Amino acid sequence: MKRIALIALSAFLLILSFPNFNLEFLAWFALIPLFFAVDNQKPLRAFALSYICGSLFFLGTVYWLIHVTLPGMVAVALYLALYFGLFGLIASYSLRLKPHHSLIFVPAAWVALELARSHFLTGFGWNLLAHSQSYTPVAIQIADIFGAYGVSFLIILVNIGIFIAIKQSQKKENALTYFMIVLFVIYLAFAYGTFRLKNIFTGENLRVAIVQGNIPQTKKWDAAFREEILSKYERLTREAAAQKPDIIVWPETSVPGFLESEEDLLGRITNLSRDIAIPLLVGTPREDAVSREAYYNSAVLLYKDGKIAKRYDKLHLVPFGEYVPFRKVFSFVENFAPSPIGDFKAGSDYTVFNFFIERKSGGDKTRLKFIKNVKFSCLICFEDIFPDMTRRFVNNGALFLVNMTNDAWFGRTNAPYQHAQNSIFRAVENRVNVVRAANTGYSCFIDQKGRVIAQVGEPGRRIFTDGYKICDIVLTKTRTFYTVYGDLFAYLCVIISLLYIVKLRRR
């Protein structure tokens, strides 16, 4: 029972370090009870204890999936817990060897497993350990070099370092060395974070407006509410346009129909864009104009003259939400879904949108007018949880990113805030602004340092409220180490883990 209490404590501390508890400091020692639980345990028992810990953690953090499907929520939590189980198994072996080996190998193993679950079966890199620090800017600045996985590595290193120091002190051996190593590593990471937070980003100012329509999922695709939905978006857009933003952004599938296939919808949206004379980015389902059989989840940019400039078809679809992978094998899953699963097709292009802004400069006697080309890309729904996708857009020339999403499915839960944590890391990794437009929230602006600088709604009423927000962002052309080289550090951790596992097997 003692070991069960220890793993429950670890799970509880980890849950509290994520939204909306936001006790992020707990993550720095949350796994110490787990290490005590698996220490000197046989492999199968170490795996089982860690698996239970992971199950409790994921049931406590992705519980909001119950609003979509109870069996699905349980299945996801139990699947994700496998990575916890494998980590506990590996850690229990490592703790039998020289303590200083564990300082590198245990964090590397954690990162290797996080990388695996972020890619395997299309990937679900949700609630990585690093994400617990999303709202602690000084702790996450190293992500522009090491990515989110580097922050996870740091947190595990601190946890295992403190654990080893405690064990050494119990044996009346030198524990101070390990405490000093932990303090030194934290000092280096936080010193770098402090330095980066003092940086001033300079460049062109861009005035962006985001609209949060707050359309209930029960109304979204009901034809009886079509006029109500369009009228609300038109009203909010015109109110935002009165403050002269350079572009206005709507959420994912905010258009209640197929924009390019339905003439009344197309006419209404293009007339709105023409009336306000401001570029408008909207989310809409799209029907392939040729085959009429392929459907896409898309973002469409309209220029201020009302003409469609370009479209982006979502590249990474939600399995069992927007499509059924291996449909012949998993067709039974549709029997458990409360609503029909979509049959969308994935896009093929890493689209970079562009629009033009007008700027004036000069003195009292001379006024010069400049036309500048602004480039950006869009991440639809949960695409912001995939860092490789994001850096590819930035490498293609995007100066800022838009994440349009619809988290209405998950009710008044922690899901929107957990989702936003991913956008925060994408901003820091690539030093770009991320603009989030969500149907029911959480809609906000994130700067290059990962700070939320503006939000729709009042404190305590960020989700399930309608409104708009306008914010000035600074466009920079910074190319970070991470933007260029990606998850090089994470793959290095994979190599270290594999080499060490081979070493353990030989012993």
Side-chain angles (χ1 to χ4, degrees):
M1 288 302 295
K2 179 183 177 181
R3 296 185 188 274
I4 296 296
L6 286 171
I7 62 172
L9 177 60
S10 274
F12 182 63
L13 293 175
L14 283 174
I15 291 169
L16 292 180
S17 65
F18 283 83
N20 272 338
F21 301 105
N22 295 327
L23 300 175
E24 56 271 7
F25 67 92
L26 296 177
W28 297 94
F29 51 84
L31 286 166
I32 295 174
L34 174 64
F35 291 137
F36 276 106
V38 300
D39 190 25
N40 293 319
Q41 294 298 293
K42 293 181 178 179
L44 186 59
R45 184 168 175 78
F47 174 87
L49 288 168
S50 302
Y51 182 78
I52 295 171
C53 180
S55 299
L56 293 173
F57 168 66
F58 285 112
L59 287 171
T61 52
V62 300
Y63 68 92
W64 37 264
L65 279 171
I66 198 172
H67 290 278
V68 180
T69 165
L70 173 58
M73 184 272 288
V74 174
V76 167
L78 296 181
Y79 160 69
L80 295 175
L82 288 171
Y83 296 94
F84 258 76
L86 289 172
F87 173 72
L89 173 63
I90 294 169
S92 68
Y93 271 114
S94 177
L95 294 175
R96 301 174 189 175
L97 304 178
K98 295 179 181 179
H100 59 273
H101 288 186
S102 296
L103 281 178
I104 300 300
F105 174 59
V106 172
W110 179 277
V111 168
L113 288 166
E114 280 196 339
L115 184 69
R117 78 171 171 94
S118 298
H119 288 81
F120 186 61
L121 296 178
T122 80
F124 191 61
W126 195 280
N127 284 354
L128 301 183
L129 188 57
H131 294 164
S132 66
Q133 305 305 304
S134 296
Y135 302 109
T136 308
V138 70
I140 66 174
Q141 300 306 307
I142 61 172
D144 67 354
I145 301 173
F146 305 109
Y149 301 111
V151 180
S152 291
F153 184 97
L154 178 64
I155 297 170
I156 293 294
L157 188 148
V158 171
N159 274 269
I160 192 66
I162 295 174
F163 169 77
I164 292 172
I166 295 172
K167 290 283 291 183
Q168 292 294 98
S169 65
Q170 290 174 345
K171 296 177 182 178
K172 301 188 184 303
E173 296 179 5
N174 184 19
L176 182 61
T177 301
Y178 295 97
F179 275 122
M180 294 304 294
I181 291 172
V182 167
L183 290 175
F184 181 66
V185 172
I186 291 177
Y187 169 77
L188 289 178
F190 279 53
Y192 179 79
T194 302
F195 166 74
R196 295 299 283 167
L197 288 174
K198 290 179 179 178
N199 284 11
I200 298 174
F201 290 92
T202 59
E204 187 68 47
N205 274 18
L206 187 74
R207 193 167 175 80
V208 182
I210 50 178
V211 175
Q212 183 169 302
N214 188 31
I215 307 301
Q217 203 60 34
T218 54
K219 291 183 178 181
K220 196 167 178 60
W221 301 114
D222 190 332
F225 297 100
R226 183 163 168 152
E227 177 59 33
E228 177 186 326
I229 294 169
L230 285 170
S231 296
K232 175 180 278 192
Y233 273 108
E234 285 178 334
R235 174 178 60 81
L236 292 170
T237 300
R238 292 184 188 278
E239 289 176 7
Q243 299 182 42
K244 303 298 182 183
D246 294 307
I247 186 173
I248 299 176
V249 180
W250 289 10
E252 176 190 13
T253 57
S254 45
V255 176
F258 292 88
L259 175 65
E260 297 180 63
S261 303
E262 301 179 47
E263 290 187 8
D264 61 326
L265 267 180
L266 183 61
R268 192 150 175 181
I269 302 299
T270 54
N271 285 338
L272 173 63
S273 181
R274 192 180 302 115
D275 287 348
I276 62 176
I278 295 172
L280 180 63
L281 182 72
V282 301
T284 176
R286 189 177 73 82
E287 182 183 44
D288 188 275
V290 178
S291 69
R292 298 290 182 180
E293 294 181 354
Y295 301 95
Y296 301 90
N297 186 351
S298 305
V300 174
L301 176 66
L302 295 93
Y303 282 150
K304 60 183 180 181
D305 60 3
K307 293 182 179 178
I308 291 179
K310 195 177 285 188
R311 67 184 60 84
Y312 164 66
D313 297 325
K314 187 180 179 186
L315 292 167
H316 201 123
L317 302 177
V318 179
F320 304 109
E322 293 172 311
Y323 78 110
V324 178
F326 309 107
R327 184 174 287 273
K328 290 183 178 180
V329 178
F330 293 109
S331 60
F332 69 90
V333 173
E334 295 184 273
N335 298 328
F336 299 97
S339 58
I341 296 175
D343 192 20
F344 287 98
K345 303 295 182 184
S348 56
D349 297 323
Y350 283 81
T351 304
V352 176
F353 292 100
N354 72 293
F355 64 98
F356 300 92
I357 57 174
E358 183 179 297
R359 294 291 185 263
K360 296 179 180 179
S361 66
D364 295 334
K365 296 181 179 179
T366 306
R367 299 290 290 175
L368 300 176
K369 184 170 73 173
F370 298 93
I371 303 298
K372 298 190 176 183
N373 187 15
V374 177
K375 296 181 178 181
F376 72 97
S377 289
C378 185
L379 302 161
I380 299 177
C381 188
F382 81 148
E383 286 186 320
D384 64 331
I385 77 172
F386 302 105
D388 280 340
M389 282 189 64
T390 306
R391 56 180 286 269
R392 184 161 176 179
F393 282 123
V394 176
N395 279 319
N396 285 353
L399 296 178
F400 73 97
L401 299 168
V402 170
N403 175 218
M404 56 168 59
T405 187
N406 173 31
D407 293 332
W409 299 93
F410 312 121
R412 297 180 182 275
T413 64
N414 301 342
Y417 301 103
Q418 291 177 9
H419 190 178
Q421 291 180 303
N422 296 277
S423 290
I424 288 172
F425 270 90
R426 304 298 84 83
V428 176
E429 288 164 351
N430 301 283
R431 297 299 178 190
V432 295
N433 292 273
V434 178
V435 177
R436 302 191 80 249
N439 173 26
T440 53
Y442 174 48
S443 301
C444 62
F445 294 85
I446 302 165
D447 72 4
Q448 295 98 326
K449 300 174 184 179
R451 302 175 301 186
V452 177
I453 56 176
Q455 308 159 74
V456 173
E458 301 301 321
R461 294 188 62 215
R462 303 296 189 192
I463 61 174
F464 290 93
T465 183
D466 54 57
Y468 66 89
K469 190 69 177 181
I470 298 174
C471 183
D472 290 329
I473 64 174
V474 178
L475 303 179
T476 57
K477 294 184 178 180
T478 304
R479 281 170 63 83
T480 67
F481 181 92
Y482 184 84
T483 304
V484 177
Y485 298 104
D487 290 314
L488 182 64
F489 174 77
Y491 286 103
L492 177 61
C493 287
V494 173
I495 294 171
I496 292 172
S497 300
L498 292 175
L499 290 176
Y500 208 81
I501 287 172
V502 170
K503 182 178 180 179
L504 288 175
R505 284 182 60 84
R506 287 178 177 175
R507 292 200 174 191

